[in-house]
């Protein structure tokens, strides 16, 4: 439940609700926070061309949100790009992307695909396609669910970051399972619960899911980022923000 901030102006009183993650500035902050964990950089717009196999059994991980060749979201991205620009440099890899979907295989992809992904990243059409799929699959559903649960910007970010790493599924290691585990421990604000108590339960469930996967068992993005903001009571995710990920320190001043 959002708490109004009331500013007295002369005899009038104006109440303004804190911005949620849909606010362009807050959304940019969210992208910087994710990029610090995913790419060790606040410059998320430099990550359109990022691509590597991080050995998490999801094949290639690439782009601004970590689209994966083994989980279907990379395939859907390249399909969208091809609908918008049929002659693009990645279109020829669609048959291979369909074959490797659901596996960690590089068959039909490899070094040529990596090179062409980086080439495509300079294309504004591909950049806009990445933005679109990030919002459609991850950002919009996470923020929408968080707002229904009565969470402010920090909680909305916690949902978004979890959905980015674990996917939007319903099994116990996906976002849906993490949220279910949290709700078993604490009521969400929408159900009359305390927001801080619920977010601590959600972050506990998130850590448990991370530790269940070798590739994600470093939980600093929870311990020294999200939990830091929560302990400070910064539920509206207001800058300045200072945190650490994997030992590296970051600050967003404004």
């Amino acid at each position: 439940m959002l708490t109004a901030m009331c500013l007295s102006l002369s005899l009038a009183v104006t109440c303004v609700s804190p911005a949620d993650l849909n606010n362009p500035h807050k959304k940019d902050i969210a992208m910087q926070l994710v990029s610090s964990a995913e790419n060790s950089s606040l410059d998320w717009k430099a990550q359109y061309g990022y691509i590597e196999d991080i050995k998490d059994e999801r094949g290639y991980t690439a782009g601004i949100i970590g689209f994966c060749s083994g989980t279907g979201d990379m395939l859907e991205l390249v399909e969208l790009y091809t609908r918008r620009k049929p002659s693009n440099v990645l279109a020829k890899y669609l048959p291979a992307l369909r074959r490797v979907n659901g596996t960690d295989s590089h068959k039909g992809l490899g070094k040529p695909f990596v090179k062409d992904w980086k080439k495509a990243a300079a294309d504004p059409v591909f950049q806009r396609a990445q933005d679109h799929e990030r919002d459609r699959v991850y950002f919009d559903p996470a923020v929408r669910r968080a707002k229904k649960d009565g969470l402010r910007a920090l909680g909305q970010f916690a949902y978004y970051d979890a959905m980015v790493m674990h996917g939007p599924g319903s099994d116990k290691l996906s976002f849906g399972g993490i949220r279910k585990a949290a709700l078993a421990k604490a009521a969400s604000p929408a159900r009359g619960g305390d927001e801080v108590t619920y977010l601590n339960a959600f972050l506990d469930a998130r850590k448990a899911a991370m530790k269940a996967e070798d590739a994600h068992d470093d939980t600093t993005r929870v311990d020294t980022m999200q939990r830091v903001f929560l302990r400070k009571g910064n539920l509206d995710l207001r800058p300045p923000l200072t945190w650490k990920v994997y030992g590296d320190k970051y600050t967003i001043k404004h």
Side-chain angles (χ1 to χ4, degrees):
M1 184 176 295
L2 298 182
T3 302
M5 298 181 296
C6 296
L7 305 174
S8 179
L9 300 175
S10 300
L11 297 178
V13 176
T14 303
C15 293
V16 181
S17 295
D20 62 35
L21 229 59
N22 283 315
N23 174 275
H25 181 56
K26 292 284 190 186
K27 186 174 184 178
D28 186 70
I29 288 174
M31 289 301 297
Q32 291 184 66
L33 292 171
V34 170
S35 186
S36 72
E38 295 283 323
N39 306 104
S40 299
S41 169
L42 296 184
D43 188 4
W44 67 268
K45 293 181 181 178
Q47 310 309 322
Y48 289 107
Y50 162 73
I51 181 168
E52 67 174 319
D53 187 333
I54 62 173
K55 308 303 180 184
D56 62 352
E57 299 182 351
R58 292 175 172 88
Y60 287 112
T61 296
I64 58 170
I65 209 64
F67 301 101
C68 295
S69 59
T71 62
D73 56 354
M74 181 182 285
L75 170 60
E76 291 177 351
L77 167 62
V78 177
E79 287 176 336
L80 174 64
Y81 184 31
T82 302
R83 288 196 298 274
R84 292 181 173 182
K85 187 174 183 178
S87 61
N88 77 78
V89 71
L90 296 178
K92 61 180 174 286
Y93 297 102
L94 279 171
L97 285 169
R98 293 185 181 110
R99 286 194 297 270
V100 303
N101 189 23
T103 77
D104 62 357
S105 174
H106 295 179
K107 189 174 182 180
L109 301 173
K111 290 182 179 179
F113 177 69
V114 170
K115 181 180 178 181
D116 284 338
W117 181 281
K118 293 178 179 179
K119 183 178 179 179
D123 182 359
V125 178
F126 189 46
Q127 294 175 9
R128 288 193 294 270
Q130 288 198 35
D131 292 345
H132 179 276
E133 289 300 280
R134 171 201 62 200
D135 291 348
R136 182 183 71 85
V137 181
Y138 300 103
F139 187 85
D140 291 348
V143 173
R144 187 163 54 245
R145 180 66 266 176
K147 290 173 75 171
K148 287 181 179 178
D149 284 344
L151 301 175
R152 285 177 272 177
L154 177 57
Q156 293 166 27
F157 173 72
Y159 274 26
Y160 174 51
D161 190 61
M163 201 171 285
V164 166
M165 174 177 280
H166 302 279
S170 59
D171 63 273
K172 66 179 182 179
L173 296 183
S174 295
F175 168 78
I178 294 169
R179 177 176 172 270
K180 183 178 180 181
L183 287 169
K185 297 292 185 180
S188 69
R191 299 182 183 183
D194 176 74
E195 189 168 5
V196 172
T197 300
Y198 173 72
L199 284 177
N200 272 311
F202 182 82
L203 294 181
D204 288 344
R206 169 82 189 281
K207 282 186 63 173
M210 292 174 73
K211 287 180 175 295
E213 296 185 274
D214 290 342
H216 296 148
D217 63 357
D218 187 319
T219 62
T220 57
R221 68 197 291 161
V222 170
D223 301 329
T224 56
M225 181 204 287
Q226 296 173 50
R227 196 86 76 174
V228 169
F229 303 151
L230 184 57
R231 280 198 295 266
K232 291 182 177 179
N234 193 352
L235 296 173
D236 295 313
L237 206 59
R238 290 196 188 95
L241 299 167
T242 298
W243 71 97
K244 291 182 180 180
V245 183
Y246 311 133
D248 297 325
K249 186 176 180 179
Y250 301 91
T251 297
I252 296 175
K253 294 181 179 179
H254 306 290

